[in-house]
Amino acid sequence: MATPQIELYTAPTPNGYKVSIMLEELQVPYELHKIDFSKKEQKEEWFLALNPNGRIPVIKDKQNGLVLFESGAILVYLAEKYDLKLYGETPEERYKTLQWVMFQMGGIGPMQGQANVFYRYAPEKIPYAIERYQKETRRLYEVLETALKGKEYITGKYSIADIACYPWVVRHDWAGVSVEGLPNVQAWLERIGKRPAVQRGLQSPPRTETTDQKVSSGRSILV
């Protein structure tokens, strides 16, 4: 077995799966540290020393000692270090890819995360909040539908834009959001879901039947 180059601190959430999928695509050996939200390990002093924001994922590059948090930043770092093809081989390509990573980070992630919270976890069902975040998540899916017209992947080539968006969109049912009437998005989900590295990444760590129930705070489901 190859010596791990990266330590990954993560949990079975969309943002966590972005990084495990990326590492599997790159075939970079890594050491997995599963963070248990039910024990609030992400709030313990040792973890806060890695990420003062108390969120996963976090990586530590064992080759240079770099500790990095925020999933989007991690994707860019790994692509720049190991394979620019997943980011862009020219500055223009990289910016086109980066805009879609930011679209996920600033749009799909926060909006779908809030849809998850109010639809699944809030102690009081607030119809206005549920409808607001579900509708906005659906609208963002419709933006993806347009972007995918005539293309297999968001930028035309498989990239960190797809890796960033897929773990969220594939969990649309959990947020109560449909992808019906979005044939490009549906085909994209099926296409990416068949990739062996994606399948491996979604098992690192595996989601269990009680995973979602263990996420007791709305803040945690956003990591």
Side-chain angles (χ1 to χ4, degrees):
M1 181 179 293
T3 302
Q5 298 177 23
I6 299 289
E7 291 187 59
L8 171 60
Y9 299 82
T10 191
T13 74
N15 283 346
Y17 285 139
K18 292 184 209 175
V19 180
S20 56
I21 289 172
M22 182 65 169
L23 288 166
E24 293 290 343
E25 290 283 6
L26 294 168
Q27 299 183 47
V28 173
Y30 63 98
E31 181 179 348
L32 179 69
H33 302 280
K34 182 179 178 181
I35 302 302
D36 190 337
F37 290 158
S38 69
K39 297 179 181 178
K40 296 187 177 181
E41 289 181 342
Q42 77 276 22
K43 302 301 181 184
E44 293 179 4
E45 187 175 347
W46 70 267
F47 187 86
L48 293 174
L50 299 173
N51 180 4
N53 197 33
R55 300 285 185 271
I56 62 94
V58 176
I59 65 166
K60 181 176 182 180
D61 189 327
K62 299 177 82 168
Q63 294 181 320
N64 58 24
L66 176 68
V67 175
L68 197 61
F69 60 88
E70 287 296 334
S71 58
I74 294 170
L75 291 180
V76 171
Y77 174 75
L78 292 173
E80 288 187 339
K81 178 167 183 174
Y82 292 105
D83 190 353
L84 276 176
K85 291 179 182 177
L86 287 173
Y87 188 15
E89 298 184 84
T90 68
E92 292 79 12
E93 288 180 344
R94 289 193 286 275
Y95 279 115
K96 283 181 177 279
T97 301
L98 186 59
Q99 70 181 351
W100 287 105
V101 174
M102 295 298 104
F103 170 80
Q104 184 279 308
M105 299 288 290
I108 290 177
M111 295 302 100
Q112 188 169 330
Q114 291 294 338
N116 289 342
V117 169
F118 287 104
Y119 185 59
R120 295 284 181 180
Y121 300 106
E124 176 187 356
K125 293 296 183 184
I126 305 173
Y128 172 79
I130 294 170
E131 183 180 14
R132 168 182 167 78
Y133 290 112
Q134 288 179 337
K135 280 187 172 181
E136 179 60 8
T137 301
R138 170 69 188 206
R139 186 191 71 79
L140 293 168
Y141 290 178
E142 291 169 359
V143 174
L144 274 184
E145 175 73 12
T146 300
L148 287 163
K149 185 177 181 180
K151 293 183 291 189
E152 292 191 344
Y153 302 108
I154 295 171
T155 67
K157 297 188 294 186
Y158 185 65
S159 72
I160 59 174
D162 302 285
I163 293 171
C165 292
Y166 176 80
W168 282 95
V169 183
V170 78
R171 293 281 289 163
H172 61 89
D173 282 344
W174 188 251
V177 180
S178 173
V179 293
E180 289 299 315
L182 304 177
N184 297 331
V185 170
Q186 291 177 28
W188 172 80
L189 286 172
E190 183 177 2
R191 187 176 303 118
I192 294 180
K194 290 179 178 178
R195 296 180 68 91
V198 171
Q199 295 171 6
R200 293 193 302 271
L202 291 176
Q203 293 299 313
S204 187
R207 182 181 295 277
T208 66
E209 292 182 3
T210 57
T211 293
D212 295 308
Q213 285 71 34
K214 284 183 178 180
V215 181
S216 59
S217 80
R219 295 285 291 182
S220 292
I221 198 62
L222 300 180
V223 300

